[in-house]
Amino acid sequence: MDLQGMAEQVSRRRTAAIFGLLAVAVLLVFRIREAPPSSANFDKGLIAVVAGLLPAVGMLLALEAGLLLVASTPVFRRRSEGWTALTAFAHLVFLVFAVMDHRYFLATGSRLNAELVIYTLRYASSMGGILEEGFDLQFLGAIALVLVSVLGGWALSRREPRRRPGSMASAEVLLLALAALILLDRPARVEVPESLLDHMLAGGEGAASDIQAFGPYERPVFSSEARRPRDIVLIILESFRADAMGAYRGNPEQSDTPAMDRLAREGVLVENAYSTVVHTSKALVGILCGGFPRLNLEIDEAEEGGLPLACLPRLLGELGYRTRYAQTADGAFENRVGLVRNMGFEEWRMREDLEGEVAGYLGMDERALLAPALEWASEDDERPLFLTLLTSVTHHPYQVPGEPPVEGQATWEDYRKAVRHVDAAVGEIVTALKEELPDALFIIVGDHGEGFGEHGIWGHNLIAYEEGIRVPLILYGAEDVLPRGTIGGLRHQVDLVPTVLDIIGAEWEGRLPGISLVEPKGHQYVVSSCWLRRRCIALRIGDLKFIDYYDLEKMEVYDLAADPEERENLASFYPRAVLRAAEARLRRIQADLESIYLGSQRRTMTRLADFD
């Protein structure tokens, strides 16, 4: 290498070092500013901040090494300005993402990843309000700091160094080695290729598991008409955890849900009901289709041919029901219209079809559901009605209609206000519909819960604790089949389809993962999954609860009888063989659930091949 080439190489390493050091300084200042160490334990707090920066520093070192390797390519070897511009842009993107990731972590307790970023971009038109609700001057200040640092790095890199170091050791290799040392021990997200999983399940749908039927599925085929046909009203409560309802806390005088508490006292309260997946579009599949959704981020079930399950609207349609659906949330978000159509509903109304006060970035005053509900209930049609209504105000940002938006990070008290609004609206809807449909069965169920930092997690998508997966479930108006009282045991959203078919007296053949609530005994175990693919999944057997993080973190074990708030992780007290057995069971269940969708894909591909 000639002297000029050596000088350029040293200059570029100096430029990379300037940008890298400034980036570390920005991250350190930002982290301390967002979560400053306490004065009492400043040293420990500062060490914790620095330790928390290690993954970001590892990625930064890898970025520096990559940029220096790019600098040696023919394209940039003689284009110093172009390479410097690339370096500035790369550091700008890195720092902006690092700032957003940390802000997201402070707000939710979990980290951003490529899937979430792509998902947000895909639904940007519907989710723009999220940015509006969460944007504040602190975030603006952090981004301004990033821009100043990048511009400062650019200015410093243009200055000639007073002296050039003589050593020409391979900085690229050193940086990559340091990055590897930092990142090597970080938990990696292990993905099982679907082609391999498909091969493992080649024995047929459900062949991966011979334990209790949570995965095996065979479409119900009716062998009789409904002997006890009746109108059915299903009300799904958005982001509604069980303990938000007074009936699940012993009906205290200061309950936020007096209307639904009354329905629980006059009807049937299911003590322990669990969600399928802690995300609305996925949970709707469990509630309305009697089986698990696909355990991935994409809402494949809303696409054409993406829902191989025979859902309750379609099944009831075969029994002579008219099927209607309405929600106060945006129908374009996650293609809810496509999902509802695939489920077999004949008619639907979304937020854009309703009249009422908008609340938050996705929802509307629940009372807007009353007009279409009464219209359908009074139709000149002798067929029984299956009506599904989905609320929205208890979804983030928990804005109550008629009140100003919640400022800053929402609190439990903000959520309680939204709960009170939804309860009052549900009470009005049930009272009005009861006059039009006096013999109707009303089912009220939560889609999933909501976390408020009880375990360092806010929201619902990545939470497998009880506040996220245990939901309210009330049946009102079916005293001839289900006497007033409580139903114990482990119950699940997938139980609703066989329960409805049981209550209306329809005989069928097939195989569903759910157990009718008319049956005195519930499940041996229940399963609930996080939204993102292979992120976390919970298994409850009796009072024992296992949470598996798919090797991202260590398994957690809780005794819900002694520790209902899941404060003491008992994993270290159990033999490794017990934990491995629980892990193996969960993996087999997960594979079993996937097999339904992979089997459907195989059949579709076979039909297309035959057509060709």
Side-chain angles (χ1 to χ4, degrees):
M1 181 182 296
D2 57 19
L3 291 177
Q4 183 180 356
M6 294 174 63
E8 287 181 355
Q9 188 177 34
V10 171
S11 177
R12 292 182 181 189
R13 290 179 180 177
R14 172 178 171 272
T15 298
I18 290 172
F19 276 105
L21 289 173
L22 283 173
V24 172
V26 168
L27 291 177
L28 186 60
V29 169
F30 178 65
R31 293 290 179 93
I32 293 177
R33 180 171 172 269
E34 289 289 308
S38 64
S39 57
N41 296 292
F42 181 81
D43 293 341
K44 292 183 179 179
L46 187 60
I47 291 174
V49 170
V50 173
L53 278 177
L54 281 179
V57 172
M59 294 299 296
L60 180 62
L61 292 175
L63 174 65
E64 305 289 353
L67 289 169
L68 289 173
L69 289 172
V70 168
S72 64
T73 61
V75 176
F76 289 100
R77 189 173 296 160
R78 298 297 179 184
R79 297 181 182 178
S80 178
E81 289 295 334
W83 180 83
T84 304
L86 174 64
T87 301
F89 178 75
H91 282 81
L92 177 64
V93 172
F94 169 80
L95 282 172
V96 168
F97 184 82
V99 167
M100 292 176 63
D101 172 63
H102 190 60
R103 295 285 294 185
Y104 184 78
F105 175 76
L106 292 177
T108 67
S110 55
R111 296 289 185 187
L112 281 175
N113 61 18
E115 281 184 311
L116 283 172
V117 173
I118 294 171
Y119 170 86
T120 303
L121 292 174
R122 178 177 179 182
Y123 295 107
S125 60
S126 298
M127 298 181 68
I130 294 178
L131 297 178
E132 295 175 8
E133 297 289 344
F135 191 81
D136 57 33
L137 294 180
Q138 288 186 348
F139 183 76
L140 183 62
I143 297 300
L145 182 61
V146 167
L147 292 173
V148 169
S149 70
V150 171
L151 291 174
W154 183 286
L156 288 173
S157 68
R158 297 297 87 204
R159 296 180 58 186
E160 288 295 327
R162 294 181 181 179
R163 58 191 180 89
R164 302 182 189 275
S167 172
M168 296 302 297
S170 179
E172 294 86 345
V173 174
L174 178 61
L175 289 174
L176 285 174
L178 288 173
L181 286 174
I182 292 174
L183 297 174
L184 189 61
D185 198 36
R186 308 300 299 178
R189 185 175 178 201
V190 180
E191 286 281 359
V192 178
E194 290 191 357
S195 58
L196 176 60
L197 186 59
D198 190 38
H199 176 72
M200 293 165 58
L201 301 172
E205 296 164 53
S209 173
D210 57 1
I211 56 181
Q212 183 187 351
F214 242 92
Y217 174 91
E218 184 179 343
R219 187 193 192 284
V221 176
F222 294 109
S223 55
S224 73
E225 299 291 332
R227 299 191 306 275
R228 298 183 296 272
R230 69 182 72 206
D231 299 309
I232 300 168
V233 179
L234 172 62
I235 301 177
I236 303 173
L237 307 175
E238 167 69 61
S239 303
F240 215 102
R241 49 194 276 177
D243 62 0
M245 191 176 291
Y248 285 92
R249 293 183 288 106
N251 292 298
E253 292 184 4
Q254 300 300 321
S255 171
D256 294 320
T257 56
M260 287 189 281
D261 293 346
R262 178 184 64 82
L263 297 177
R265 289 192 300 270
E266 297 178 1
V268 176
L269 178 72
V270 180
E271 292 181 335
N272 292 296
Y274 284 86
S275 176
T276 49
V277 175
V278 288
H279 187 77
T280 301
S281 294
K282 297 290 186 177
L284 288 177
V285 175
I287 293 169
L288 285 159
C289 303
F292 267 69
R294 189 158 195 185
L295 302 185
N296 63 346
L297 181 142
E298 294 295 330
I299 313 301
D300 296 326
E301 299 85 352
E303 305 300 325
E304 185 176 356
L307 187 56
L309 308 177
C311 302
L312 195 54
R314 193 172 307 281
L315 293 172
L316 291 178
E318 295 176 7
L319 293 173
Y321 275 73
R322 49 197 168 103
T323 57
R324 311 287 187 260
Y325 176 94
Q327 66 174 43
T328 50
D330 186 356
F333 182 60
E334 295 185 341
N335 191 14
R336 187 64 52 76
V337 171
L339 181 62
V340 167
R341 182 188 294 113
N342 286 349
M343 288 178 172
F345 282 101
E346 296 172 332
E347 293 186 27
W348 51 82
R349 305 272 177 87
M350 306 292 173
R351 182 174 75 168
E352 51 269 32
D353 307 314
L354 303 177
E355 294 183 2
E357 183 176 349
V358 172
Y361 46 83
L362 286 178
M364 173 183 277
D365 188 340
E366 320 300 358
R367 293 178 176 85
L369 295 170
L370 189 54
L374 290 175
E375 176 188 330
W376 286 326
S378 58
E379 284 179 313
D380 185 14
D381 194 325
E382 295 182 355
R383 295 178 298 167
L385 172 66
F386 175 59
L387 171 62
T388 297
L389 305 173
L390 173 62
T391 67
S392 63
V393 170
T394 40
H395 187 284
H396 178 272
Y398 323 113
Q399 181 185 356
V400 176
E403 296 190 8
V406 176
E407 295 184 1
Q409 183 167 317
T411 65
W412 172 250
E413 291 304 316
D414 296 321
Y415 178 69
R416 288 182 61 189
K417 291 181 181 179
V419 166
R420 288 194 287 270
H421 167 81
V422 170
D423 177 73
V426 169
E428 293 178 19
I429 291 171
V430 171
T431 299
L433 288 177
K434 187 69 174 175
E435 294 182 4
E436 291 290 337
L437 309 170
D439 297 322
L441 164 66
F442 291 85
I443 302 174
I444 301 172
V445 62
D447 59 352
H448 52 72
E450 196 80 348
F452 288 90
E454 294 89 346
H455 294 88
I457 303 174
W458 285 259
H460 50 262
N461 290 322
L462 299 175
I463 187 168
Y465 298 101
E466 293 293 282
E467 62 265 23
I469 64 175
R470 185 167 172 243
V471 295
L473 177 54
I474 297 170
L475 291 88
Y476 171 74
E479 292 86 354
D480 56 327
V481 181
L482 284 173
R484 295 183 181 184
T486 60
I487 294 179
L490 297 180
R491 307 292 180 162
H492 204 275
Q493 288 175 342
V494 297
D495 297 340
L496 288 178
V497 169
T499 298
V500 168
L501 298 181
D502 205 353
I503 288 176
I504 66 175
E507 296 182 0
W508 56 278
E509 296 179 357
R511 193 176 186 187
L512 292 175
I515 297 175
S516 171
L517 295 174
V518 177
E519 297 292 330
K521 291 184 178 181
H523 294 271
Q524 296 172 351
Y525 66 87
V526 289
V527 178
S528 298
S529 175
C530 292
W531 178 34
L532 298 190
R533 186 176 182 82
R534 297 182 179 88
R535 177 61 67 87
C536 57
I537 190 169
L539 168 69
R540 178 173 176 179
I541 305 177
D543 290 322
L544 203 59
K545 168 110 169 265
F546 298 86
I547 301 179
D548 181 26
Y549 293 96
Y550 296 95
D551 299 325
L552 295 172
E553 299 176 34
K554 293 182 180 180
M555 177 176 281
E556 297 177 7
V557 183
Y558 299 96
D559 181 355
L560 296 180
D563 180 26
E565 295 182 352
E566 298 166 286
R567 298 297 182 188
E568 184 180 2
N569 181 7
L570 303 176
S572 60
F573 295 95
Y574 282 85
R576 182 172 177 79
V578 174
L579 301 182
R580 293 298 297 272
E583 179 183 278
R585 172 169 287 197
L586 277 166
R587 301 298 170 84
R588 293 177 69 184
I589 293 169
Q590 183 269 332
D592 207 9
L593 300 175
E594 290 276 13
S595 71
I596 300 172
Y597 294 88
L598 292 171
S600 176
Q601 289 180 350
R602 281 196 297 269
R603 290 193 297 272
T604 300
M605 293 177 66
T606 300
R607 287 197 299 268
L608 290 174
D610 292 342
F611 179 78
D612 291 341

